[in-house]
Amino acid sequence: MTIALARMRLVALVRGGRILAPLIAGLVVLGIIHGGGQSPAASAYGYSAAMLFPVFAWLTKVVLDAEPDVQRRLARVAVGAARESAAGALAAVAAGLAFTVVAIAVPLVMGAIGPPKPGETSIVAGVGLGVLAHVLALGAGVALGSVACRAVTRTVRNGVVVLVTGSVLVVVLGLRGSIAPWSVPPVMAVSRALAEVPVPGAGAFLLIVGWAVVWCGAVLAGYVAVRRRRS
């Protein structure tokens, strides 16, 4: 039932044309990042993941706001609060993963990934790290987009404020030397790590993954709590 509801939301997203705005924005971002010449795979994908984070958040909000409020409430009654919330998150993750595949493929197709220099990671390793960076950015984007959706914020204006403010804070508080880097997901931290030569070891990335899981879990738990209280 959850998968069927998620599939229905994805179909509505595509047929209604709501996916076009974040899709075009994401493609423009990729074109700007990778259109300036060749870069090492790791750093190119690190910048890409950081720049696509707000696009992932926007895409999640669009997915969750695609249904009219009455239809969303009927679905909640029909399948239960937990399944309805899970279906929305599953649909957002599926849409984000599809675009992640595009984000990984675009620089390869454009020839924007250059051969590694001494000390840099190989192209294969760089692509692997790039996949990790985009998955982490997607998770953070889904979390932010969830708390910016209309079911939580009640109005489009409030949702846009949450989305824009959250995206800006992720960048500002994620900068090196920030006073509260742990209050935001490690989107900027991953980008910095992939730009280093050589890239940090596995321990550093395990720490970043743990950081991302805890942050996303806390935000999504808040989302579920608000949805349960307002159901």
Side-chain angles (χ1 to χ4, degrees):
M1 185 66 73
T2 300
I3 295 177
L5 183 56
R7 186 185 301 114
M8 183 184 70
R9 288 179 169 175
L10 287 173
V11 171
L13 179 72
V14 175
R15 288 184 177 177
R18 291 185 174 92
I19 195 174
L20 288 177
L23 176 62
I24 293 173
L27 291 175
V28 170
V29 168
L30 291 175
I32 293 173
I33 293 174
H34 301 301
Q38 292 187 331
S39 301
S43 62
Y45 285 123
Y47 293 134
S48 170
M51 293 294 291
L52 288 178
F53 161 72
V55 176
F56 287 140
W58 183 14
L59 179 61
T60 299
K61 177 174 168 55
V62 170
V63 170
L64 296 180
D65 288 350
E67 280 185 320
D69 292 339
V70 174
Q71 183 175 336
R72 185 180 64 249
R73 293 188 185 106
L74 288 175
R76 201 168 183 82
V77 172
V79 304
R83 286 184 176 180
E84 189 273 331
S85 298
L90 181 60
V93 169
L97 286 175
F99 194 77
T100 294
V101 173
V102 175
I104 297 298
V106 163
L108 296 174
V109 173
M110 293 177 60
I113 303 300
K117 297 178 182 178
E120 295 178 347
T121 57
S122 66
I123 293 178
V124 173
V127 171
L129 291 172
V131 172
L132 173 63
H134 282 80
V135 169
L136 294 179
L138 172 59
V142 169
L144 176 58
S146 296
V147 296
C149 74
R150 192 172 62 248
V152 172
T153 62
R154 297 299 196 188
T155 67
V156 174
R157 179 192 61 189
N158 291 342
V160 171
V161 170
V162 171
L163 189 67
V164 174
T165 302
S167 298
V168 172
L169 287 177
V170 166
V171 174
V172 173
L173 295 179
L175 295 174
R176 193 185 303 273
S178 166
I179 59 173
W182 294 93
S183 63
V184 293
V187 174
M188 300 299 290
V190 173
S191 181
R192 284 196 302 271
L194 295 189
E196 294 182 9
V197 179
V199 297
F205 286 104
L206 286 175
L207 179 63
I208 288 175
V209 170
W211 174 2
V213 169
V214 171
W215 190 91
C216 293
V219 174
L220 289 174
Y223 165 74
V224 171
V226 172
R227 292 296 309 278
R228 184 183 295 116
R229 189 168 64 248
R230 292 183 176 177
S231 61

